[in-house]
Amino acid sequence: MRFLFSSLGFLLRITIIGAVFRAIVAIYLQIWDLMDFTTVKSTFAAFLHGWHFDLAIGSVFYLLLYWMILLFKLSPKAAKRWNFLFLWFYIVMIVTDSLYAKETGRHLSYEIYSLFTIEGSMLSLFGRYWIAVLVSLAAAASLNLWVSPNYKTTSGPVGRIFAMLMAAILAVMGFRGFEGIPQDPSWAYRAGGGPQGAFLALNGAYGIFWAAVGEKKSSKENIVSPKDIDTAKIFASWKARRGIHAPIGGFDGNIVIVFLESWWGSEVDRIQDGVEILPFFNKLRRESLHTDLFLAGGHRTTEGIFASMCSLPNPLGKSIMYSEIENKDFVCLPRLLSEKGYSSAFFQGSDQYTSGTGLLVLKTGFQSSYGKRDIPDYEKLEQNAWGVYDTDLYKFALDKMTGLREPFLVGINTNTTHDNLFPARADRQKYKTIRQWADTELQEFHKLLQSRKWEKDWLLVLVADHTTYGGSSIFDHYAIPFLMKHYTKDGKESRVLPNKLLPGAFSQPDIAATLADITGVKAPTFLGRSLARPEAFSPGASIFHLGQSAWFENDWAVVFNIRNPGEERCFKWKEDMSFTKESPCPANGKKMHEEGLSYIKESQELLFK
């Protein structure tokens, strides 16, 4: 019993120390201004949430220290010395992280690999901030008087083994955050308050520890470019006509974006066994703003949402989530709209933390995130392997929308098509594919949206988050359904967006760019082009697949290998989306290749900067 009390007391004290140091860091970085209490009040809830990370890193030190006490029968004096070293190391990590944040604006992450090398910047940091090192020593010595364990091992071998097991259980519980899975640093976004709230919640020492033991290497790809191609100059020239620098404005209404889980572009306007697969979507598409070809930014939900909401490419072949840039502060559409007065919420039919999706949407600036477990009595609803069917998800989203202040931004990631299991109510004789059934659910949701009493106009965006892996061609892998339609609250004709076909290839980053443009939001960092006036922007859409990149302009695509320059090939994508019939390159083929190569190389540099 004495061991248990000692353990709980140590964990409590080390957790409090973590919170105190996070508060000091907040003041040091001027996130909190003690002369302006509103800066504290607005982020205090997120700060309190950070006790999860304080306990997690404290549990690591607790386990190491108490196991040493039990294994080597350390005396209280020896235990105090070891506790001082652990405390000093803990404080050094917090200080190092705060110094790094002072220069970069974000927590230390996978840069830890270079910081601990002879050529790295750790020694340089210590040299520049030697006073901080001395202060950390003094702080560790002072705190050691209060934090040191008051437990002296006296039990025999059996008792010590039992105590070691108990210490392991307590440490694992503290580290895992009582959630059943270890807490990734990105979980700080659960604290609310956007990037600043997440920064205050995350214990810097925990972020460093996670990066150091996670054995994750950089997600950045090495892209080779010929010496005669100045990619930086070409990209700068191209980028000068991207970004929303002078938005046209004119729309201040609601926005509903539905990410259609795993829908295929190859099924648009397709008939199978005499039956139209997506009859409702096809009909609505013809009545909306749509494109010849719309390309996904990746193969996962987080990749599709990031590209669509932040108007940036993903790390090649990867998501930003659980990567070295997951805590980088990206300026995305939901945050920009929040600053304009929009309320917002995101809904998922699966668990909201699947692949970090719920965390990502909070990172982009959505004010609330909901998953299947937030739906009342979700266990009683019919489900597939991932979560609830779209009908129940749409109903839940509509109920929550009644409590949102207009104008609002709502995002929905559907779930019916997350696998191929039909609900019992679906007529299997009528519906051949799960997307046929999901199309029917979408139609009913659309009817409910139209019958809703709107205070403002509203805009509907339907787009797949990604396709599935089943296709053999580039088209099957990246072509996705897309439409955007403006509805007036009084039923009058829309003048915000034209209901027409835009020829050529476009991609997910164009969604945020378009919405920023028509809502009057400046977004100079966006790399997409506004579909409201695509001619005003540099052309081009990019995809990456297994080392190959394709750059689309008008009816042409130039394909090249990012590791072997000089192997570019040209294709007429409308005639050959599988890229099997190479054609002689058009007159601007060389320019297309240079722009495509420059885009993929320099946009990745920008992403990881």
Side-chain angles (χ1 to χ4, degrees):
M1 187 62 96
R2 186 172 56 182
F3 174 79
L4 180 60
F5 285 140
S6 176
S7 297
L8 294 177
F10 181 88
L11 287 170
L12 176 62
R13 293 193 296 273
I14 199 74
T15 301
I16 292 173
I17 285 175
V20 170
F21 273 101
R22 283 189 298 110
I24 293 172
V25 170
I27 296 169
Y28 170 67
L29 296 178
Q30 298 180 331
I31 298 174
W32 283 358
D33 182 354
L34 297 183
M35 303 302 293
D36 181 6
F37 190 69
T38 58
T39 61
V40 180
K41 184 179 179 181
S42 63
T43 54
F44 194 67
F47 170 79
L48 289 179
H49 184 88
W51 75 265
H52 294 85
F53 298 101
D54 300 330
L55 175 60
I57 188 65
S59 297
V60 175
F61 293 131
Y62 159 75
L63 181 65
L64 293 173
L65 179 62
Y66 273 68
W67 268 26
M68 288 183 66
I69 292 173
L70 294 164
L71 275 172
F72 303 111
K73 299 183 67 174
L74 296 181
S75 67
K77 197 171 184 179
K80 186 170 287 190
R81 292 195 193 100
W82 278 104
N83 190 64
F84 166 76
L85 289 175
F86 285 140
L87 269 177
W88 184 62
F89 187 59
Y90 184 15
I91 295 169
V92 163
M93 286 198 292
I94 292 176
V95 169
T96 303
D97 180 74
S98 62
L99 294 176
Y100 180 83
K102 187 76 171 178
E103 295 185 359
T104 66
R106 61 192 177 103
H107 283 293
L108 243 172
S109 183
Y110 296 85
E111 301 89 345
I112 196 69
Y113 288 110
S114 61
L115 281 176
F116 282 114
T117 64
I118 299 297
E119 299 81 17
S121 55
M122 179 67 86
L123 294 178
S124 174
L125 273 174
F126 280 2
R128 288 168 56 193
Y129 298 99
W130 59 272
I131 294 178
V133 176
L134 292 179
V135 169
S136 67
L137 281 168
S142 301
L143 291 170
N144 193 37
L145 301 173
W146 179 57
V147 183
S148 290
N150 54 11
Y151 175 74
K152 180 181 179 181
T153 175
T154 55
S155 303
V158 174
R160 290 201 301 276
I161 290 173
F162 178 78
M164 288 177 69
L165 289 173
M166 182 181 292
I169 292 171
L170 288 173
V172 169
M173 288 174 61
F175 186 80
R176 292 165 77 93
F178 311 100
E179 297 285 352
I181 54 176
Q183 301 173 106
D184 185 278
S186 65
W187 284 39
Y189 281 90
R190 298 177 70 178
Q196 195 170 70
F199 188 95
L200 285 175
L202 181 62
N203 184 306
Y206 182 81
I208 292 175
F209 174 80
W210 182 273
V213 303
E215 298 183 357
K216 297 179 182 178
K217 305 304 180 185
S218 176
S219 297
K220 186 178 177 183
E221 287 275 356
N222 180 34
I223 302 172
V224 180
S225 60
K227 293 181 180 180
D228 62 336
I229 298 179
D230 189 341
T231 57
K233 182 179 180 180
I234 294 171
F235 179 71
S237 175
W238 177 89
K239 188 175 179 293
R241 295 187 66 237
R242 287 282 178 129
I244 307 301
H245 301 280
I248 58 177
F251 178 75
D252 65 349
N254 305 289
I255 302 169
V256 179
I257 305 175
V258 182
F259 290 95
L260 303 164
E261 176 65 42
S262 304
W263 281 36
W264 301 351
S266 58
E267 289 188 333
V268 173
D269 290 330
R270 180 176 161 190
I271 295 176
Q272 181 175 317
D273 299 329
V275 178
E276 194 173 7
I277 296 177
L278 305 174
F280 170 70
F281 180 88
N282 294 336
K283 179 179 181 297
L284 190 62
R285 180 173 177 265
R286 290 188 288 269
E287 301 167 357
S288 309
L289 179 67
H290 59 290
T291 66
D292 266 340
L293 176 65
F294 205 77
L295 299 165
H299 268 153
R300 300 175 66 187
T301 301
T302 50
E303 294 169 27
I305 291 174
F306 179 74
S308 300
M309 294 292 93
C310 303
S311 196
L312 292 171
N314 287 279
L316 299 182
K318 305 177 183 71
S319 166
I320 69 162
M321 298 308 293
Y322 311 129
S323 78
E324 68 267 42
I325 57 172
E326 67 179 349
N327 284 320
K328 184 177 177 181
D329 186 15
F330 296 101
V331 178
C332 305
L333 179 72
R335 188 207 298 189
L336 294 172
L337 289 178
S338 291
E339 294 171 356
K340 191 176 172 64
Y342 275 66
S343 58
S344 59
F346 193 90
F347 302 88
Q348 256 178 282
S350 59
D351 189 293
Q352 64 165 313
Y353 299 115
T354 300
S355 301
T357 302
L359 304 171
L360 174 65
V361 299
L362 292 173
K363 177 180 177 63
T364 64
F366 277 96
Q367 295 158 8
S368 301
S369 174
Y370 301 96
K372 67 177 182 180
R373 299 179 193 279
D374 297 301
I375 301 175
D377 299 321
Y378 84 95
E379 304 97 333
K380 299 178 182 178
L381 300 174
E382 190 174 6
Q383 301 183 42
N384 58 23
W386 292 87
V388 300
Y389 286 96
D390 294 350
T391 296
D392 295 313
L393 175 63
Y394 291 143
K395 180 180 183 300
F396 176 64
L398 282 165
D399 289 342
K400 286 290 184 181
M401 282 163 60
T402 59
L404 289 177
R405 182 190 70 257
E406 293 192 28
F408 58 66
L409 168 68
V410 163
I412 300 174
N413 178 213
T414 64
N415 189 67
T416 290
T417 49
H418 225 141
D419 67 18
N420 293 316
L421 181 66
F422 281 84
R425 59 182 178 274
D427 182 354
R428 290 306 309 278
Q429 298 298 316
K430 179 179 180 181
Y431 301 102
K432 306 298 182 182
T433 73
I434 193 65
R435 280 168 294 281
Q436 277 182 292
W437 171 254
D439 183 70
T440 300
E441 291 181 298
L442 179 63
Q443 183 176 18
E444 292 304 313
F445 177 56
H446 181 258
K447 289 178 181 177
L448 293 172
L449 285 175
Q450 286 186 302
S451 63
R452 187 181 186 276
K453 292 184 178 180
W454 297 90
E455 296 176 18
K456 290 178 171 287
D457 290 0
W458 56 287
L459 190 138
L460 178 66
V461 182
L462 300 181
V463 62
D465 52 351
H466 55 81
T467 62
T468 57
Y469 303 96
S472 59
S473 71
I474 293 289
F475 183 77
D476 288 326
H477 271 283
Y478 295 97
I480 54 175
F482 165 79
L483 65 83
M484 189 177 289
K485 186 172 179 61
H486 173 223
Y487 297 81
T488 59
K489 64 177 182 179
D490 53 13
K492 293 182 179 179
E493 184 178 351
S494 165
R495 296 187 181 276
V496 174
L497 286 174
N499 295 333
K500 69 175 185 178
L501 169 68
L502 295 179
F506 298 83
S507 59
Q508 283 179 327
D510 300 336
I511 293 175
T514 304
L515 296 177
D517 194 26
I518 65 174
T519 54
V521 172
K522 289 185 178 180
T525 61
F526 284 5
L527 294 184
R529 55 176 164 167
S530 172
L531 303 180
R533 46 180 183 134
E535 69 286 345
F537 298 84
S538 299
S542 177
I543 60 171
F544 172 83
H545 184 68
L546 300 177
Q548 298 283 329
S549 181
W551 181 254
F552 294 78
E553 279 189 31
N554 300 319
D555 297 341
W556 285 92
V558 174
V559 179
F560 53 92
N561 192 300
I562 66 168
R563 300 180 185 91
N564 298 310
E567 295 185 359
E568 63 272 13
R569 298 171 296 148
C570 297
F571 301 90
K572 294 181 179 179
W573 62 261
K574 282 189 176 181
E575 301 174 9
D576 179 26
M577 272 304 302
S578 61
F579 293 166
T580 57
K581 301 173 184 177
E582 187 175 347
S583 299
C585 290
N588 66 335
K590 184 176 185 295
K591 179 175 179 289
M592 284 180 62
H593 170 244
E594 290 180 350
E595 286 188 344
L597 176 63
S598 300
Y599 171 84
I600 200 167
K601 180 175 174 60
E602 299 303 327
S603 67
Q604 290 295 300
E605 293 292 334
L606 196 63
L607 194 66
F608 284 87
K609 186 175 180 180

